[in-house]
Amino acid sequence: MTSTWRVSKPARWRWLALVCALALAASACGGGDDDDDAGGGVAAEATADPEAPSEDDGASAPSDDDGDDGQPAPDDSGDQGGEAPAATAAPETAATEGPAAEMEPQYGGTLVMGLEAETTNGLNPVNAQAAVSGHILFRALYDTLTIEGVDGRAVPNLLESISPNDDFTEWTMTLPPGITFHDGSPADAAALKRHFEEQLKGTLTGISVRSWEIESIDIVDDLTVKMMLAKPFAALPEYLTSHLGYFGAPSMHDLGAEGAARNPIGTGPFMLDEWIPNEVTRMVRNPDYWRTDAEGRQLPYLDALEFRPNNDSDARYAALRSGDLDASVDNTGIRVDDYNEQFKTFWQGEAYAEPTYLMFNHSRPPFDNAEFRRALAQCTDRQVFNTIRWDGQVPATGPFSPGTPGHLEDSGFPGFDPDAGSAAIARLGVTDVELGTTTDPANLLNTELLAAMWGDCGLDVSITQVDQAELITNAVFGNFTAFLWRNHPSFHVAAERIWWHSEFGQGIALNFGRINNPVIDAALDESLTIDDFDRLTELAEDINRAFAEEVHNIWFYFSNWLIAAHDHVHGIDNLTLRGGQEHVKVLAGRVFLTEAWIEQ
């Protein structure tokens, strides 16, 4: 369903009135204590830090958001007749559960979890358009071949090992013995070869995998394959932490695209039992799962998972409070204190946080004009936006969050200057623009605030709403002008190549914004050929400055993803890796529920 309406040019007093109204709305939906008081929901208040920092979970891959994924500086706020609202620090992530972590895990029970959206086109990673919610489903059904390590490098997950030759044109991958898919078939070298062949055929995954320029995939022995490439591809392990690493059975692919979408067969801890789109996805325990916990106990602990999608963050919060949900995902940023005070919270860390930003379609006027994009940035009070609609976070200066290679305190992104912006818009003769958004009420409020700010600079703004899956489809096919988006955890800068390089900006595109910037292209190309952490950081900084110079996006804030759960829920961010290696706990809202358990 699509709906469109127009926001007319308001005078400044009307814009300020809207800001006040939104502030009241943020306060009203903040929840609070059992008496329904506001309890810290106003974004301008200081946030409560959950305990010690942890982390995020990995980069989106084709479709996100994610693609992935999507949605949906020091002070750029300007003079609004007083001081800008004080910025607050993003909440830190709890690294452990404290005393609860010492409890003996219990087997049994069903974890009921709220998600922000449905993955409407199915559960086959080759063809699914999966945002964060989809990745949570996939991480229950499938094991990723690799996983994000805490040192900024991907490490083996399902794979026993993955290693390159000296110039990264050959990769040898070995699976451990004895692993089977949900249907009992072996997870062996033949299945791994088939995995990459199917990814190569996928409409979206194929765009990425074809860029690797695979010359051959040879079976070395029952558990080992060697992939030969025509050019260096140093970032292959990072690409296998997410969409391209979800390992599905050959028997699933034999069902064809539609059959596989409704019959996922992985090696993961849970198996699909029932899927009623937009109502519930139920998974049951895989009795033959290969992984054990740190004490050698068989996983998973739970009998079942039930995922209930609801794109209304208020409704998810209410369902969690009422006990209809055991746990829920949230990314609104306006209930930080409420969640921390009322529930057990698992926050992602500061590093590798996804930016929320306004994405322009560079193939459509007037957004193909850098001068116009700059004018819109000057007309956008990002500090006020972040304070009213998020947690008061200082506006992002680019795609890389603090603690992430490539982050810059000052990238050169233009500050708030509505007079200059209005003059440029008048000079260019642009009178109206369209903004897109999803059906999530919170996303609509975000978009209405932008429309009001731009109206003050002389623009009539129409707003079009679609559901999240359609928003992703529109991004892939370029059927949009501009909308708020959320992506790019940037665990490795080369993993962002599919989203930013001009090679992926034509036709059915993963470079959704259709960006074409030689500086960005050159940096991303070089990132594929090296494994030097310092040089990769320099390349990411070059990309950051190039984004600012051409105003390819308008950056707002970095997502404070959390999983909120009742006290009887434990282990929601745990995953035991071979050899005691550590992984990023919560990355871009995604978690593994392999070791989650419920206190009976």
Side-chain angles (χ1 to χ4, degrees):
M1 178 178 177
T2 301
S3 58
T4 304
W5 65 95
R6 183 170 296 277
V7 179
S8 60
K9 307 172 186 177
R12 179 170 294 277
W13 69 268
R14 291 182 61 196
W15 176 71
L16 291 174
L18 178 60
V19 169
C20 293
L22 289 172
L24 289 172
S27 176
C29 66
D33 59 21
D34 292 339
D35 294 326
D36 291 328
D37 293 332
V42 181
E45 293 184 6
T47 61
D49 289 348
E51 292 187 27
S54 170
E55 275 269 59
D56 234 8
D57 185 71
S60 313
S63 83
D64 240 14
D65 324 70
D66 165 28
D68 144 53
D69 248 21
Q71 277 300 320
D75 189 51
D76 290 357
S77 61
D79 184 4
Q80 294 298 320
E83 292 184 356
T88 60
E92 296 180 339
T93 314
T96 67
E97 296 183 55
E102 303 301 322
M103 298 175 64
E104 187 83 7
Q106 297 178 24
Y107 284 91
T110 298
L111 177 71
V112 182
M113 187 170 188
L115 299 179
E116 64 169 1
E118 178 64 272
T119 304
T120 55
N121 65 336
L123 301 174
N124 173 13
V126 173
N127 295 302
Q129 295 175 359
V132 168
S133 297
H135 285 283
I136 293 175
L137 298 175
F138 289 162
R139 288 174 184 235
L141 293 166
Y142 306 93
D143 292 297
T144 55
L145 294 173
T146 62
I147 192 170
E148 299 86 358
V150 294
D151 64 351
R153 310 265 181 187
V155 298
N157 183 26
L158 181 64
L159 287 175
E160 189 168 75
S161 65
I162 176 170
S163 59
N165 64 350
D166 289 342
D167 66 357
F168 305 105
T169 58
E170 297 179 9
W171 285 91
T172 302
M173 290 169 269
T174 301
L175 290 158
I179 295 179
T180 59
F181 292 103
H182 296 156
D183 63 354
S185 60
D188 57 12
L192 187 57
K193 179 179 180 180
R194 176 75 178 275
H195 165 81
F196 289 115
E197 291 171 344
E198 293 295 330
Q199 295 280 3
L200 190 58
K201 292 185 221 173
T203 302
L204 297 179
T205 56
I207 295 172
S208 178
V209 178
R210 281 192 294 274
S211 72
W212 304 356
E213 298 186 20
I214 298 173
E215 291 185 332
S216 67
I217 303 174
D218 302 322
I219 295 178
V220 177
D221 57 39
D222 288 348
L223 297 171
T224 304
V225 301
K226 179 175 286 188
M227 182 182 292
M228 314 288 288
L229 308 175
K231 65 180 184 182
F233 197 80
L236 182 63
E238 283 70 33
Y239 272 68
L240 302 182
T241 63
S242 187
H243 220 99
L244 301 178
Y246 295 124
F247 190 26
S251 57
M252 178 183 77
H253 301 307
D254 290 342
L255 298 173
E258 291 189 13
R262 299 197 68 90
N263 297 278
I265 305 172
T267 63
F270 295 93
M271 307 179 294
L272 183 66
D273 179 54
E274 180 182 39
W275 178 35
I276 304 175
N278 297 308
E279 291 187 25
V280 65
T281 300
R282 178 178 169 82
M283 302 178 190
V284 296
R285 185 178 189 271
N286 174 6
D288 300 315
Y289 189 52
W290 60 275
R291 197 188 305 261
T292 59
D293 69 10
E295 303 300 322
R297 292 175 290 233
Q298 180 65 41
L299 294 170
Y301 304 121
L302 292 168
D303 286 337
L305 296 170
E306 284 189 10
F307 297 102
R308 297 179 184 174
N310 191 323
N311 65 6
D312 187 333
S313 57
D314 292 340
R316 290 197 309 277
Y317 175 74
L320 187 64
R321 286 192 66 186
S322 70
D324 289 342
L325 299 175
D326 297 306
S328 184
V329 178
D330 196 80
N331 184 41
T332 60
I334 58 176
R335 286 201 182 92
V336 171
D337 292 341
D338 295 339
Y339 276 116
N340 287 339
E341 292 167 5
Q342 298 181 44
F343 304 105
K344 181 183 297 183
T345 53
F346 303 83
W347 292 91
Q348 81 170 52
E350 193 174 47
Y352 315 126
E354 292 179 305
T356 287
Y357 60 95
L358 190 74
M359 181 166 65
F360 300 120
N361 186 342
H362 291 62
S363 69
R364 289 193 177 188
F367 302 106
D368 58 347
N369 186 324
E371 184 180 1
F372 180 70
R373 298 194 299 268
R374 178 171 293 274
L376 288 181
Q378 291 170 325
C379 289
T380 305
D381 192 334
R382 297 181 298 135
Q383 183 63 74
V384 166
F385 183 96
N386 286 4
T387 299
I388 299 301
R389 296 303 303 149
W390 196 244
D391 62 356
Q393 190 181 124
V394 173
T397 63
F400 307 110
S401 66
T404 304
H407 174 74
L408 294 170
E409 291 295 327
D410 183 3
S411 64
F413 192 85
F416 181 55
D417 188 348
D419 292 336
S422 297
I425 289 170
R427 182 170 62 255
L428 293 169
V430 181
T431 59
D432 57 87
V433 293
E434 177 190 350
L435 277 174
T437 188
T438 70
T439 53
D440 185 336
N443 288 341
L444 176 59
L445 286 173
N446 290 341
T447 306
E448 288 177 333
L449 180 53
L450 288 179
M453 290 180 179
W454 293 2
D456 201 48
C457 277
L459 288 171
D460 283 332
V461 183
S462 59
I463 297 174
T464 299
Q465 279 188 284
V466 297
D467 66 30
Q468 188 179 82
E470 185 176 350
L471 190 77
I472 295 173
T473 300
N474 290 345
V476 169
F477 288 95
N479 297 328
F480 73 98
T481 52
F483 47 58
L484 288 166
W485 199 251
R486 183 191 65 214
N487 198 0
H488 316 303
S490 299
F491 182 77
H492 190 294
V493 65
E496 302 298 341
R497 189 173 182 271
I498 57 174
W499 308 117
W500 297 336
H501 197 288
S502 62
E503 176 184 346
F504 303 98
Q506 306 295 322
I508 299 176
L510 296 178
N511 174 356
F512 301 140
R514 278 68 181 169
I515 295 167
N516 187 346
N517 187 311
V519 174
I520 294 176
D521 284 357
L524 291 170
D525 288 341
E526 185 179 343
S527 73
L528 293 181
T529 67
I530 60 174
D531 195 29
D532 183 308
F533 196 82
D534 291 339
R535 180 57 182 158
L536 288 168
T537 299
E538 292 173 354
L539 294 173
E541 291 172 352
D542 291 344
I543 290 169
N544 201 344
R545 295 186 187 96
F547 264 106
E549 182 176 354
E550 293 296 315
V551 195
H552 288 306
N553 300 316
I554 296 179
W555 310 104
F556 289 100
Y557 52 80
F558 294 106
S559 294
N560 295 337
W561 276 106
L562 85 152
I563 313 298
H566 287 283
D567 287 342
H568 64 268
V569 178
H570 304 280
I572 216 163
D573 61 351
N574 292 338
L575 188 67
T576 300
L577 303 183
R578 297 184 192 89
Q581 292 176 302
E582 294 293 324
H583 68 97
V584 175
K585 297 293 186 181
V586 181
L587 180 64
R590 303 168 218 171
V591 291
F592 290 89
L593 299 173
T594 309
E595 298 190 29
W597 60 278
I598 293 176
E599 193 175 338
Q600 306 295 319

